Amino acid sequence: MKVVKFGGSSLASGKQIEKVFQIVLSDMERKVVVVSAPGKRFAADHKVTDLLIECAEQCLLNLDSRELYERIIERYSSIAKELKVSDEVIKDIEDDLLGRLNGDKSQPAEFMDLVKASGEDNHAKLVAAYFQQQGVEAHYVNPKDAGLFVSPDPGNAQVLPESYDMLYALNERSGILIFPGFFGYSKEGKVYTFSRSGSDVTGSILANGLKVNLYENFTDVDAVYSVNPSIVGCPKEVKVLTYREMRELSYAGFTVLHDEALVPAFKAGIPVQIKNTNNPLAPGTRIVSERDNTNGPVIGIASDHGFCSIYVSKYLMNREVGFGRKLLAILESFGLSYEHIPSGIDDISIILRENQFTASMETEIKNRIEIELHTDEVVIERGLALIMVVGEGMRHNIGTTAKASKALAEANVNIEMINQGSSEVSMMFGVKEVDEKRAVRALYEEFFAAVTV
Amino acid sequence: MKVVKFGGSSLASGKQIEKVFQIVLSDMERKVVVVSAPGKRFAADHKVTDLLIECAEQCLLNLDSRELYERIIERYSSIAKELKVSDEVIKDIEDDLLGRLNGDKSQPAEFMDLVKASGEDNHAKLVAAYFQQQGVEAHYVNPKDAGLFVSPDPGNAQVLPESYDMLYALNERSGILIFPGFFGYSKEGKVYTFSRSGSDVTGSILANGLKVNLYENFTDVDAVYSVNPSIVGCPKEVKVLTYREMRELSYAGFTVLHDEALVPAFKAGIPVQIKNTNNPLAPGTRIVSERDNTNGPVIGIASDHGFCSIYVSKYLMNREVGFGRKLLAILESFGLSYEHIPSGIDDISIILRENQFTASMETEIKNRIEIELHTDEVVIERGLALIMVVGEGMRHNIGTTAKASKALAEANVNIEMINQGSSEVSMMFGVKEVDEKRAVRALYEEFFAAVTV
């Protein structure tokens, strides 16, 4: 059995939903279908989830939300019309959404989650109605009835472990099950959503709970590419990669799949197949626990910018038990999470994402470090990019570092920082943002293009 | 003015002290002479400090220490005889040492420091007597009178900041000042020693306090070498290097100078000259704040083994504010200091010195990390060596990493870990211990020998 999840663009119009129907019907194993809210039909279109957020905000401000409400309903009814599904389901959707919008607003974050979640919940009903109208046994599944319980954290719910056992019972239901993504219920029966793009998470939880063979994630790209196509034209597609490789790549800008989405599948060792709704015959990319290394040591190159570093030096720092811990505690007291901590003997750098690090914070943190840790020097550098060279095959491949650093040197890129852990699934280079694209191209050339010369 | 410090082997015999006398007299600037206790005259000889430690231990155990006492006195009197210095000073030394050995033993660590410090203190008296006998105005200086105050930490005293101002007054004294190294006095008037080889520290404190132009440190090597001569034959001598470079090299096995010794000189920006008592015309090595980079990006290659790594992986570790701090706090609670913390996205390694990390600690720490931090995997690897490629010139030299990693790849050395901080004074490679020497030779060949081909 397979769990199949479709993203917003795969369900944005009647035409897209027809494709989804064909895809599901073409494989008897595809029994559980996780749906997102309707996404964009064209670049300038709005996602239903965005409309719902705006609508909920208006309600919370006591402003008139009627126009937004109608735009949302219009999205569903235009799809229903296109698919010739009876108006009854649209009436259900209207009642449901109105009920939510008129609900309790004393806890704004909870209200927001309740409204947001309607995008997936109502679309699941519509998709189920279409399947039924096509003569297929299909049922909308309410996550509360199915036992998808989550922690009561608005916008950042975490699945509760007991859900997995409850969800296993879905195996006994007949027909195709249409399951809304993105949210679950607290033990008190309230709706809480996962973080944004959380339908991927729902699919992964169901895959784990139902103990299926495969979790198929349909999106709008043919595959995961070995490098960002906006930096290198027509890059190589990745056929198979491991969870760890996917995670390292997605960290630095590969956004095909929601980060947290892999966790439940990873824990159950269930492979995840990325496929394209608009080109279902393309093989796509499979994410697995282990792969053979026949494709060379490197599987992909990712990069991301907007990083900064806090460089701290203190003579004999190395002798001071507790120095690093104290330094990290100062950052933690500002709620900052760090990315990496490369260190020399008497110096240590902390790499963080720049967006969380305001100018006023910068001054305050610099002062606290200088005063509390009696440092010799604290220097903050902004405008850094991190480049990840990722591949399980690097683990014991002598010379990968040499190849990578030679390629960067020849492209005249100065390496500001290198961080290679014992894990050796990835090698990280810190460079200045202005050098980012040149560096990525040089590395791609070295590890992928060179072979074909 | 210069502060000149002589190590134990430079003062081990009358003949050596004659050399010291010639060196001091040959330069009018050499006004303050810091002396160590008599060191070894030949490989199988004993250092007086070692004899004193043994003697103090015997006393503390209420065992007969007479033989050791006599061997110590014999060292001084044989030197006095060789130098034809009057017996009077030996009587002084006998009285002094007997007084110490018969002193208060209720605080064993304090008693030990008092006895240990006599090695330098009494030798300073003997050296001063020889200078005087040669017709030179020279005075033994008592650190208590001079104002060298330290914290009351037996065997690990730290200079108190007010000492520097007090010591400045030594500028007004006439003649050559013979100052015993290795110890100072607490505010309560008790003797406390620096950590082992602490005479280097005394010299550096005096250089800072007296605001001299140069701190000359006479030892028994011609210079600091660019690599360990026991790994690479006849290595290049280093003429000038910075404090930071020296520190990074000494971290990984370059033991020419006591680590802490550089701090006071470094803080006052006073250059330190390493010279050879047995070959005083050799230029030696100068340690400075800044140097020009005409000698290429790399100044030296050092290596040390006996390291281990604790590898910790946890899916989405990166998202957890406080993970690194909690991990370091666990190690800190065992009193462990770490060396480096290279990290991937969801994994982090902690590199520590193996000698502090017992097998029972290993099990307990592994358990605590797994239980308290809910990690996916904790792997401990022993038998690692760290290789430091050091040089201020590496800072903005494109291609140094490429050269280093290519050399290692060609020598068939797998790089277990790379850590290059923003400071870029050094690049660190972690390799297996069995590969250490091969790796060092390959790097030396690449950065030093290649030029002469």
Side-chain angles (χ1 to χ4, degrees):
Chain A
M1 196 165 75
K2 297 173 184 173
V3 167
V4 200
K5 180 257 166 182
F6 292 93
S9 67
S10 303
L11 296 158
S13 65
K15 205 175 151 198
Q16 287 296 85
I17 293 174
E18 283 167 1
K19 288 185 196 165
V20 167
F21 179 75
Q22 293 304 329
I23 288 168
V24 173
L25 269 281
S26 70
D27 183 344
M28 292 284 290
E29 296 277 294
R30 291 174 178 148
K31 201 187 137 172
V32 181
V33 179
V34 178
V35 303
S36 306
K40 292 183 182 185
R41 293 157 294 186
F42 41 88
D45 199 10
H46 291 90
K47 294 180 181 179
V48 165
T49 304
D50 289 328
L51 297 174
L52 286 165
I53 290 169
E54 217 181 314
C55 186
E57 281 167 351
Q58 300 278 53
C59 290
L60 287 169
L61 295 167
N62 266 319
L63 298 172
D64 184 9
S65 61
R66 187 149 189 93
E67 195 206 319
L68 281 162
Y69 165 78
E70 281 170 359
R71 279 175 66 189
I72 294 160
I73 296 299
E74 165 58 22
R75 284 295 305 269
Y76 292 110
S77 57
S78 80
I79 292 172
K81 205 170 289 170
E82 215 184 325
L83 296 175
K84 301 187 180 70
V85 174
S86 92
D87 259 10
E88 228 167 285
V89 66
I90 298 302
K91 288 225 177 63
D92 275 2
I93 292 175
E94 281 172 353
D95 292 348
D96 175 275
L97 184 53
L98 269 180
R100 294 182 197 238
L101 293 173
N102 291 325
D104 176 18
K105 295 178 192 65
S106 63
Q107 291 177 295
E110 262 85 355
F111 174 75
M112 175 59 81
D113 269 19
L114 182 71
V115 175
K116 270 199 294 186
S118 75
E120 279 71 12
D121 205 18
N122 285 324
H123 208 31
K125 293 173 198 161
L126 177 51
V127 170
Y130 172 66
F131 274 55
Q132 288 155 9
Q133 182 246 53
Q134 292 295 307
V136 171
E137 187 191 352
H139 308 280
Y140 157 80
V141 179
N142 182 328
K144 194 198 250 171
D145 299 342
L148 177 41
F149 294 113
V150 299
S151 65
D153 301 312
N156 191 31
Q158 305 292 322
V159 64
L160 300 182
E162 56 265 44
S163 299
Y164 294 115
D165 285 342
M166 307 275 292
L167 292 166
Y168 187 76
L170 288 179
N171 274 305
E172 282 160 33
R173 298 213 195 171
S174 65
I176 290 167
L177 307 181
I178 313 289
F179 202 105
F182 193 34
F183 70 96
Y185 284 82
S186 69
K187 286 287 186 181
E188 286 74 40
K190 279 188 158 178
V191 167
Y192 288 91
T193 67
F194 299 123
S195 55
R196 195 70 200 259
S197 304
S199 295
D200 286 340
V201 180
T202 305
S204 188
I205 292 168
L206 290 177
N208 180 319
L210 277 82
K211 304 286 170 255
V212 300
N213 307 322
L214 185 66
Y215 170 30
E216 289 180 314
N217 193 296
F218 279 82
T219 173
D220 51 10
V221 293
D222 273 359
V224 171
Y225 294 106
S226 52
V227 69
N228 186 341
S230 77
I231 298 181
V232 175
C234 302
K236 208 182 146 193
E237 291 179 3
V238 178
K239 300 274 179 260
V240 185
L241 79 173
T242 66
Y243 298 109
R244 303 201 316 162
E245 290 171 333
M246 185 69 227
R247 166 81 179 125
E248 305 255 347
L249 289 170
S250 73
Y251 164 77
F254 277 44
T255 52
V256 175
L257 205 65
H258 191 290
D259 256 356
E260 290 173 26
L262 284 175
V263 181
F266 161 73
K267 289 199 170 149
I270 295 165
V272 180
Q273 187 83 24
I274 308 284
K275 287 186 73 82
N276 190 351
T277 304
N278 304 313
N279 185 16
L281 296 178
T285 298
R286 181 168 290 220
I287 308 168
V288 296
S289 297
E290 280 180 42
R291 64 173 179 90
D292 60 28
N293 288 324
T294 47
N295 298 326
V298 175
I299 194 112
I301 295 158
S303 69
D304 203 3
H305 45 261
F307 293 94
C308 59
S309 75
I310 305 175
Y311 165 78
V312 180
S313 80
K314 180 178 184 180
Y315 201 80
L316 296 185
M317 176 192 290
N318 179 267
R319 296 277 187 86
E320 240 177 272
V321 174
F323 188 93
R325 197 251 318 144
K326 286 177 209 152
L327 182 59
L328 296 183
I330 291 178
L331 295 189
E332 198 181 339
S333 73
F334 286 85
L336 293 171
S337 65
Y338 65 87
E339 305 296 313
H340 295 283
I341 5 178
S343 58
I345 310 301
D346 291 336
D347 44 58
I348 186 166
S349 291
I350 302 184
I351 312 294
L352 22 157
R353 291 201 186 259
E354 228 165 356
N355 57 7
Q356 51 171 357
F357 192 56
T358 61
S360 69
M361 223 184 244
E362 175 172 332
T363 316
E364 216 180 318
I365 287 176
K366 196 165 182 284
N367 283 343
R368 278 195 56 190
I369 294 173
E370 281 167 349
I371 292 165
E372 294 174 26
L373 300 178
H374 310 285
T375 54
D376 295 332
E377 202 182 0
V378 180
V379 180
I380 287 161
E381 192 182 351
R382 290 178 176 269
L384 293 177
L386 295 186
I387 299 175
M388 309 285 303
V389 178
V390 176
E392 299 265 358
M394 286 161 53
R395 194 186 292 264
H396 291 296
N397 193 288
I398 291 174
T400 313
T401 315
K403 283 178 81 172
S405 46
K406 178 177 135 275
L408 292 176
E410 284 172 2
N412 208 30
V413 172
N414 191 39
I415 302 170
E416 302 282 316
M417 192 184 65
I418 304 180
N419 204 340
Q420 180 184 325
S422 320
S423 94
E424 295 186 21
V425 178
S426 72
M427 202 185 314
M428 192 194 74
F429 295 96
V431 304
K432 291 207 192 306
E433 278 179 0
V434 292
D435 291 337
E436 178 187 353
K437 289 187 178 178
R438 202 165 72 253
V440 169
R441 285 187 199 115
L443 290 167
Y444 184 79
E445 196 69 25
E446 181 67 32
F447 287 106
F448 293 94
V451 192
T452 64
V453 172
Chain B
M1 196 164 77
K2 297 173 184 172
V3 166
V4 201
K5 180 256 164 182
F6 292 92
S9 67
S10 304
L11 297 157
S13 66
K15 204 175 151 198
Q16 287 296 85
I17 293 174
E18 282 168 4
K19 288 185 196 167
V20 167
F21 179 74
Q22 293 305 329
I23 289 168
V24 172
L25 269 281
S26 70
D27 183 344
M28 291 284 289
E29 296 276 293
R30 289 172 178 149
K31 203 187 135 171
V32 180
V33 179
V34 177
V35 302
S36 306
K40 292 183 182 185
R41 293 157 294 185
F42 42 88
D45 199 11
H46 292 89
K47 295 181 180 180
V48 165
T49 305
D50 289 330
L51 297 174
L52 286 165
I53 291 170
E54 216 180 315
C55 186
E57 282 167 351
Q58 300 277 53
C59 290
L60 286 169
L61 294 167
N62 268 321
L63 298 173
D64 184 8
S65 61
R66 186 152 190 93
E67 195 207 321
L68 281 162
Y69 165 78
E70 280 170 2
R71 278 175 67 189
I72 294 161
I73 296 299
E74 164 58 21
R75 283 297 303 270
Y76 292 111
S77 57
S78 79
I79 292 172
K81 206 171 288 173
E82 214 182 326
L83 295 175
K84 303 187 177 70
V85 175
S86 90
D87 259 11
E88 227 167 286
V89 66
I90 298 301
K91 289 227 174 63
D92 276 2
I93 292 175
E94 282 174 353
D95 291 349
D96 176 276
L97 183 53
L98 270 181
R100 293 181 197 238
L101 294 174
N102 291 325
D104 175 20
K105 294 177 192 65
S106 64
Q107 292 177 293
E110 263 86 355
F111 174 75
M112 175 60 80
D113 269 18
L114 182 71
V115 174
K116 269 199 293 186
S118 75
E120 279 72 13
D121 206 17
N122 285 325
H123 208 31
K125 292 175 200 162
L126 176 52
V127 171
Y130 172 66
F131 274 54
Q132 288 155 7
Q133 182 246 53
Q134 293 294 305
V136 171
E137 187 190 352
H139 308 281
Y140 157 80
V141 179
N142 181 328
K144 193 198 249 171
D145 299 340
L148 177 43
F149 293 114
V150 298
S151 65
D153 301 312
N156 191 30
Q158 304 292 323
V159 63
L160 300 182
E162 55 264 43
S163 299
Y164 294 114
D165 286 342
M166 307 274 292
L167 292 166
Y168 187 75
L170 289 179
N171 273 304
E172 281 159 33
R173 298 212 195 171
S174 65
I176 290 167
L177 308 180
I178 312 289
F179 202 106
F182 194 34
F183 70 97
Y185 283 83
S186 70
K187 286 287 188 182
E188 286 74 40
K190 279 188 159 176
V191 167
Y192 288 92
T193 66
F194 300 122
S195 55
R196 194 72 199 259
S197 303
S199 294
D200 286 340
V201 179
T202 305
S204 188
I205 291 168
L206 289 177
N208 180 319
L210 277 81
K211 303 287 170 252
V212 298
N213 307 322
L214 186 65
Y215 170 29
E216 290 180 314
N217 194 296
F218 279 82
T219 173
D220 50 10
V221 293
D222 273 358
V224 171
Y225 293 106
S226 50
V227 70
N228 186 340
S230 77
I231 297 180
V232 175
C234 302
K236 209 182 143 191
E237 290 179 3
V238 177
K239 299 272 178 264
V240 184
L241 80 172
T242 67
Y243 297 109
R244 304 202 314 165
E245 289 171 334
M246 185 69 226
R247 166 79 178 126
E248 305 254 347
L249 289 170
S250 73
Y251 165 76
F254 277 46
T255 52
V256 175
L257 206 65
H258 190 290
D259 256 359
E260 289 174 27
L262 283 174
V263 180
F266 161 73
K267 288 199 170 148
I270 297 165
V272 180
Q273 187 83 25
I274 309 284
K275 286 184 75 83
N276 189 352
T277 304
N278 305 314
N279 185 16
L281 295 178
T285 297
R286 181 168 290 219
I287 309 169
V288 296
S289 297
E290 280 181 42
R291 66 172 178 92
D292 59 27
N293 288 324
T294 47
N295 298 325
V298 175
I299 195 110
I301 295 158
S303 69
D304 203 2
H305 43 262
F307 294 93
C308 59
S309 76
I310 305 175
Y311 165 78
V312 180
S313 80
K314 179 179 185 179
Y315 202 81
L316 295 185
M317 176 192 291
N318 178 269
R319 295 277 186 86
E320 240 177 271
V321 174
F323 187 93
R325 198 250 318 141
K326 286 177 210 152
L327 182 58
L328 296 183
I330 291 178
L331 294 189
E332 199 182 336
S333 72
F334 286 84
L336 292 172
S337 65
Y338 65 87
E339 305 295 315
H340 296 282
I341 4 179
S343 58
I345 311 301
D346 292 335
D347 45 58
I348 186 166
S349 291
I350 302 183
I351 312 294
L352 13 155
R353 290 199 187 260
E354 230 165 354
N355 57 8
Q356 50 172 358
F357 193 56
T358 61
S360 69
M361 225 184 244
E362 175 172 334
T363 316
E364 215 180 319
I365 287 176
K366 195 165 183 282
N367 284 343
R368 278 195 56 188
I369 293 173
E370 281 167 348
I371 292 165
E372 293 174 27
L373 301 177
H374 310 284
T375 54
D376 295 333
E377 201 183 1
V378 180
V379 180
I380 288 161
E381 191 183 350
R382 291 178 177 269
L384 293 177
L386 296 185
I387 300 175
M388 309 285 303
V389 178
V390 176
E392 299 266 358
M394 286 161 55
R395 193 185 293 266
H396 291 296
N397 193 288
I398 291 174
T400 313
T401 314
K403 283 178 80 171
S405 46
K406 179 177 135 275
L408 292 176
E410 284 172 3
N412 209 30
V413 173
N414 191 39
I415 302 171
E416 301 284 314
M417 191 185 63
I418 304 181
N419 204 341
Q420 178 183 326
S422 319
S423 93
E424 296 187 17
V425 178
S426 72
M427 202 185 314
M428 191 193 77
F429 296 97
V431 303
K432 292 208 192 305
E433 279 177 359
V434 291
D435 292 336
E436 178 186 356
K437 289 187 178 177
R438 202 165 71 251
V440 169
R441 285 186 198 117
L443 290 167
Y444 184 80
E445 196 68 26
E446 181 67 33
F447 287 106
F448 292 93
V451 193
T452 64
V453 171

